[in-house]
């Protein structure tokens, strides 16, 4: 039985990133950790979740309860950590209803922007912590996570005007203490949206460009004299949208992100991996939300809209194939 003193945490989405943070949270004796595992349920239920980390060593993750679905529990959790792929952002918040109480705090660890809105819409009185992670991890087989040396995260409140700020801050601090105890690298940000949008400027370029072309970043940038200026225009259009959303980001980010990618070996992207694997893409939170905002503000974003439209077509094909 869980000790009354323990904080009840549910981890939803037990992929590589979710598995990594399950390991971090499980290090904490004050946390009672439950997980919702889907494709890897049988393996995690039978053998547990294993992690091989270049920073933390090899461990079996301390999990108290493995669930197939939130509907299999009646516990109202203190924290629900959402680390699922953001392929269908509106679908998940209602699924969580059986395990959400008045005092539940959501912790969203996902790529993209606008991810908080469906949670706020479904649960207008709950606190949301918004996180941007830079952890490099892969689930090499069901229930086995390999983590590289890459480890960093920024976290901040998605402020709720219906909740007392001191209470929200206390929930943020309590979760930060679990991360500290788990010995992971992170920073608490006053305005997490700056970090979310900065990462989305990166992802909005490299994810669709590697997916649409099926070449790596170096090969893409050198493929024609148009490639680099087009990439920077795309990034600057996303920065324009961020500015209209009152998220202050400078245009120099586009130059520095291109310099950064040129200093690295050519890479692909998680979206490219998903496309190759025949899985739906995280297109809504990476390109769709900036596009929606651009439409709302009646902004002219020709490169973003072209890239968005083509990526949506690829996604449509993948969704149709995955339903066969
Ligand atoms: C949120 O709180 C307000 C005011 O306390 C209340 O009227 C409303 O029903 C609550 N909404 C939900 C979805 O719980
Ligand atoms: C609400 O949750 C926090 C942790 O997030 C906990 O410290 C606090 O005791 C809870 N309050 C109630 C009334 O359950």
């Amino acid at each position: 039985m869980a000790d009354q003193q323990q904080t009840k945490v549910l981890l939803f989405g037990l992929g590589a990133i979710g598995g990594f943070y399950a390991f971090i949270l499980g290090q904490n004796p004050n946390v009672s950790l439950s997980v919702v595992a889907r494709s890897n349920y049988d393996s995690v239920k039978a053998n547990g979740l294993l992690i091989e980390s270049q920073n933390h060593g090899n461990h079996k993750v301390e999990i108290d309860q493995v669930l197939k679905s939130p509907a299999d529990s009646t516990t109202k959790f203190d924290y629900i950590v959402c680390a699922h792929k953001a392929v269908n952002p509106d679908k998940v918040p209602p699924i969580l209803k059986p395990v959400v109480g008045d005092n539940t705090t959501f912790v969203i660890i996902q790529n993209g922007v606008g991810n908080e809105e469906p949670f706020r819409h479904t649960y207008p009185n709950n606190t949301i912590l918004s996180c941007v992670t830079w952890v490099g991890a892969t689930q090499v087989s069901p229930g086995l996570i390999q983590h590289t040396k890459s480890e960093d995260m920024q976290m901040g409140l998605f402020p709720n005007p219906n909740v007392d700020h001191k209470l929200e801050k206390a929930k943020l601090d309590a979760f930060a203490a679990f991360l500290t105890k788990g010995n992971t690298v992170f920073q608490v940000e006053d305005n997490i949206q700056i970090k979310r949008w900065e990462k989305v400027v990166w992802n909005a370029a490299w994810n669709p460009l590697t997916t649409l072309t099926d070449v790596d970043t170096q090969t893409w940038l050198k493929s024609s004299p148009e490639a680099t200026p087009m990439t920077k225009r795309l990034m600057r259009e996303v920065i324009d949208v961020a500015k209209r959303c009152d998220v202050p980001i400078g245009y120099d980010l586009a130059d520095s992100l291109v310099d950064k990618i040129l200093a690295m070996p050519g890479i692909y992207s998680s979206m490219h991996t998903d496309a190759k694997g025949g899985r739906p893409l995280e297109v809504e939170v990476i390109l769709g939300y900036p596009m929606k905002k651009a439409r709302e503000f009646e902004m002219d974003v020709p490169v973003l809209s072209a890239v968005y439209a083509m990526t949506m077509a690829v996604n449509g094909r993948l969704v149709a194939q995955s339903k066969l």
Side-chain angles (χ1 to χ4, degrees):
M1 280 310 284
D3 172 357
Q4 289 301 311
Q5 302 300 315
Q6 284 188 316
T7 301
K8 296 187 285 288
V9 179
L10 178 69
L11 204 134
F12 184 82
L14 203 60
I17 296 296
F20 175 81
Y21 286 103
F23 160 67
I24 295 296
L25 294 165
Q27 301 276 83
N28 205 304
N30 298 332
V31 166
S32 162
L33 181 66
S34 300
V35 300
V36 174
R38 287 166 295 177
S39 61
N40 53 6
Y41 175 84
D42 290 336
S43 160
V44 174
K45 184 82 185 167
N47 309 314
L49 178 68
L50 305 174
I51 182 164
E52 297 173 359
S53 164
Q54 291 184 30
N55 293 348
H56 300 271
N58 298 351
H59 301 271
K60 183 166 177 181
V61 178
E62 299 285 337
I63 298 173
D64 293 311
Q65 186 180 214
V66 184
L67 302 168
K68 217 169 203 164
S69 150
D72 297 339
S73 174
T74 52
T75 303
K76 306 297 182 198
F77 287 89
D78 297 304
Y79 290 91
I80 300 180
V81 180
C82 295
H84 56 285
K85 260 199 179 300
V87 290
N88 212 335
D90 294 340
K91 232 177 93 180
V92 165
I95 294 175
L96 298 171
K97 278 225 163 101
V99 290
V100 177
D102 294 343
N103 195 36
T104 300
T105 297
F106 295 100
V107 183
I108 300 173
I109 309 181
Q110 287 182 321
N111 278 331
V113 284
N115 311 53
E116 304 92 346
E117 284 186 4
F119 286 90
R120 179 64 28 97
H121 176 77
T122 312
Y123 307 106
N125 297 335
N126 290 67
T127 295
I128 298 176
L129 308 182
S130 180
C131 306
V132 176
T133 185
W134 300 91
V135 162
T138 0
Q139 185 157 203
V140 289
S141 62
L144 176 60
I145 314 280
Q146 280 178 352
H147 171 228
T148 63
K149 286 192 175 312
S150 164
E151 178 171 0
D152 199 5
M153 178 160 97
Q154 289 87 41
M155 173 168 78
L157 280 170
F158 183 70
N160 190 339
N162 294 339
V163 181
D164 175 50
H165 179 70
K166 276 206 193 103
L167 190 62
E168 292 215 296
K169 180 73 171 52
K171 291 177 168 187
L172 171 69
D173 291 346
F175 196 79
F178 296 145
L179 298 178
T180 302
K181 183 81 180 174
N183 210 19
T184 190
V185 187
F186 72 101
Q187 304 87 43
V188 173
E189 299 287 329
D190 286 337
N191 183 354
I192 189 63
Q193 294 308 319
I194 296 175
K195 298 295 171 187
R196 287 205 87 87
W197 279 88
E198 282 177 355
K199 189 172 182 188
V200 116
V201 173
W202 171 276
N203 283 334
W206 309 128
N207 283 14
L209 294 174
T210 54
T211 304
L212 293 168
T213 63
D214 201 13
V215 297
D216 68 55
T217 47
Q218 289 277 354
T219 309
W220 157 252
L221 288 171
K222 291 175 178 147
S223 61
S224 79
E226 287 312 306
T228 298
M230 180 271 200
T231 304
K232 288 189 181 178
R233 277 199 296 273
L234 170 59
M235 289 178 169
R236 281 197 290 264
E237 289 178 6
V238 178
I239 293 169
D240 280 330
V241 179
K243 286 175 186 290
R244 287 299 301 268
C245 294
D246 292 324
V247 179
I249 299 178
Y251 290 117
D252 53 344
L253 180 67
D255 297 314
S256 66
L257 293 184
V258 169
D259 291 345
K260 185 172 169 184
I261 209 95
L262 284 171
M264 296 163 58
I267 58 168
Y268 290 90
S269 64
S270 58
M271 187 178 276
H272 179 267
T273 307
D274 285 336
K276 284 284 166 193
R279 294 182 294 272
L281 311 177
E282 291 188 304
V283 60
E284 275 311 317
V285 291
I286 291 176
L287 295 164
Y289 187 83
M291 193 62 233
K292 181 177 115 181
K293 286 290 162 186
R295 255 187 248 116
E296 270 175 40
F297 294 126
E298 299 183 351
M299 297 169 70
D300 189 28
V301 286
V303 183
L304 172 60
S305 68
V307 169
Y308 169 74
M310 289 186 282
T311 310
M312 281 299 281
V314 172
N315 189 53
R317 165 168 59 78
L318 293 165
V319 169
Q321 281 170 358
S322 70
K323 283 184 180 146
L324 289 181

